[in-house]
Amino acid sequence: MTTSLEFGLDTFGDVTKDAAGAPLPHAQVIRNVVDEAVLADQLGIDFIGLGEHHRADFAISSPETVLAAIAARTQNIRLGSAVTVLSSDDPIRVFQRFATADAVSNGRAEVILGRGSFTESFPLFGFDLKQYNELFEEKLDLFTELLKQEPVTWQGKLRPPLKAQSVYPPIEHGRLKTWIGVGGSPESVVRAAHYDLPLMLAIIGGDPKRFAPYVDLHQRAYQQFGREPKPIGVHSPGYIAETDAQAREELWPDYKVMRDRIGKERGWPPMGRDEFVSEAEHGSLYVGAPETVARKIAAAVKALGAARFQLKYSAGPLPHDKLMKSIELYGSKVVPMVRDMLAA
């Protein structure tokens, strides 16, 4: 699968800071994300994914709307979510929004569906967290019926049934490319195979090789279902600068701010510099000079047989100009290096 490796970028629209160190307005962050996507398109990067969140530190709550703005200013880059929290949304509305994004982008839209590692959308939209798993399972079942683009007859437990109901607009050509985002649940890996959907592994810490058993499980599940396996992708955080030292020094303060803020909510201890360095050297934090990052990506792709690598390039309040430089180095230097390494 590495011969046709795709390269992507992800962002949650992290609220960044201005030259004086003050947080930018959410509106400006969103406009900056559009500019970042335009640069990615100019560099020939294959995909950009926007995460959905409903909290103060992330500016993007409606990825499809931002993707439509990106579509108007780009030509080739594929446009998707990273992820869409299907559990707290309506599958029909999700399909309609992405079908619309697919129309305005001339067929470049795709969606990554997940349960979400943040849960603020559940109380916001009136869903019970006790039904966290049940909501996703049922809504994914309905969403896969919509992908067939035929009149839908469907019945579940958590919403009224549908009988020969058509959904508009349809996808103009083919069907909407749909991934399942997985953070480490074997059940989710098997679920992706059950619904015959490609798998996106969110590897945000530790040696990426530890996810090899999930890849094996994915393959075995497909064998049991009697189908050819769909592709596997990898999503991990990172940052690129001219040298390893520069990349670490620029990323560390803002990465720690983000990590400690989220860690406080989840009961994690503050991140120390040793942990940060360990993740950079041995884990799933792709930070460093272009060659350093390229070697780590190539190794992870080989170990997991990934068909796409997506770099989560935003990290807390790290400023927009530094993100733009990191994107430029990713597209102009890292991507060609990885391709050369895999071809050698």
Side-chain angles (χ1 to χ4, degrees):
M1 283 189 287
T2 57
T3 55
S4 58
L5 180 65
E6 295 179 344
F7 292 87
L9 291 167
D10 291 337
T11 180
F12 298 164
D14 303 59
V15 173
T16 52
K17 58 190 177 184
D18 62 19
L24 289 175
H26 286 70
Q28 184 59 55
V29 172
I30 290 171
R31 290 189 288 269
N32 287 347
V33 167
V34 174
D35 288 340
E36 290 155 12
V38 170
L39 175 60
D41 183 57
Q42 294 168 349
L43 292 165
I45 293 170
D46 298 299
F47 172 85
I48 186 158
L50 309 183
E52 173 201 345
H53 295 86
H54 306 270
R55 46 187 287 143
D57 45 350
F58 301 124
I60 299 173
S61 62
S62 178
E64 309 91 333
T65 307
V66 184
L67 292 172
I70 294 170
R73 293 183 55 193
T74 57
Q75 297 296 321
N76 299 305
I77 194 167
R78 293 191 61 80
L79 311 168
S81 58
V83 300
T84 292
V85 185
L86 186 64
S87 310
S88 57
D89 211 328
D90 181 88
I92 295 174
R93 293 296 289 147
V94 171
F95 181 87
Q96 289 176 323
R97 296 196 300 265
F98 276 92
T100 302
D102 194 69
V104 300
S105 65
N106 290 308
R108 290 185 281 139
E110 54 187 75
V111 60
I112 304 177
L113 302 174
R115 294 182 294 179
S117 62
F118 294 88
T119 58
E120 71 278 352
S121 63
F122 286 80
L124 183 64
F125 299 122
F127 291 98
D128 189 348
L129 265 174
K130 294 178 182 177
Q131 296 179 313
Y132 182 80
N133 293 318
E134 187 179 2
L135 282 164
F136 185 72
E137 180 65 48
E138 180 167 304
K139 292 184 178 191
L140 179 60
D141 188 68
L142 173 54
F143 194 89
T144 55
E145 289 298 312
L146 301 173
L147 291 175
K148 299 174 183 178
Q149 299 200 99
E150 300 170 350
V152 178
T153 297
W154 177 92
Q155 184 168 349
K157 297 180 180 179
L158 303 176
R159 62 160 292 159
L162 300 170
K163 185 175 181 180
Q165 183 72 54
S166 297
V167 176
Y168 302 100
I171 299 295
E172 186 174 18
H173 302 292
R175 78 181 226 164
L176 179 66
K177 186 168 186 178
T178 302
W179 302 69
I180 298 295
V182 176
S185 163
E187 293 80 11
S188 296
V189 173
V190 174
R191 183 185 293 117
H194 170 74
Y195 287 108
D196 198 21
L197 297 172
L199 183 70
M200 182 60 65
L201 296 170
I203 306 178
I204 59 174
D207 188 338
K209 297 183 185 67
R210 69 189 177 93
F211 276 74
Y214 293 100
V215 175
D216 293 340
L217 176 61
H218 186 253
Q219 301 274 349
R220 286 187 279 109
Y222 264 97
Q223 289 176 355
Q224 292 178 1
F225 291 127
R227 296 191 295 261
E228 284 295 315
K230 285 291 192 294
I232 291 175
V234 172
H235 149 106
S236 292
Y239 178 73
I240 305 141
E242 295 292 347
T243 67
D244 289 349
Q246 180 187 353
R248 292 186 186 186
E249 289 307 311
E250 290 182 355
L251 179 63
W252 160 244
D254 297 305
Y255 192 85
K256 176 176 171 58
V257 167
M258 175 193 66
R259 169 62 167 72
D260 288 355
R261 180 177 58 241
I262 296 171
K264 185 177 181 180
E265 298 170 3
R266 301 183 180 186
W268 304 340
M271 186 179 212
R273 183 64 184 252
D274 289 347
E275 180 184 352
F276 173 79
V277 170
S278 178
E279 280 296 328
E281 293 181 350
H282 310 294
S284 295
L285 181 57
Y286 294 76
V287 56
E291 185 174 358
T292 299
V293 173
R295 290 190 181 281
K296 286 194 69 174
I297 292 174
V301 166
K302 286 182 179 179
L304 301 176
R308 179 187 289 177
F309 182 87
Q310 295 179 191
L311 185 79
K312 200 260 184 185
Y313 69 89
S314 56
L318 194 66
H320 170 62
D321 61 336
K322 291 184 178 179
L323 297 180
M324 292 285 275
K325 182 61 177 177
S326 181
I327 291 169
E328 193 277 327
L329 290 171
Y330 179 69
S332 66
K333 294 189 176 182
V334 173
V335 169
M337 284 182 182
V338 175
R339 293 198 188 281
D340 290 343
M341 291 172 185
L342 294 177

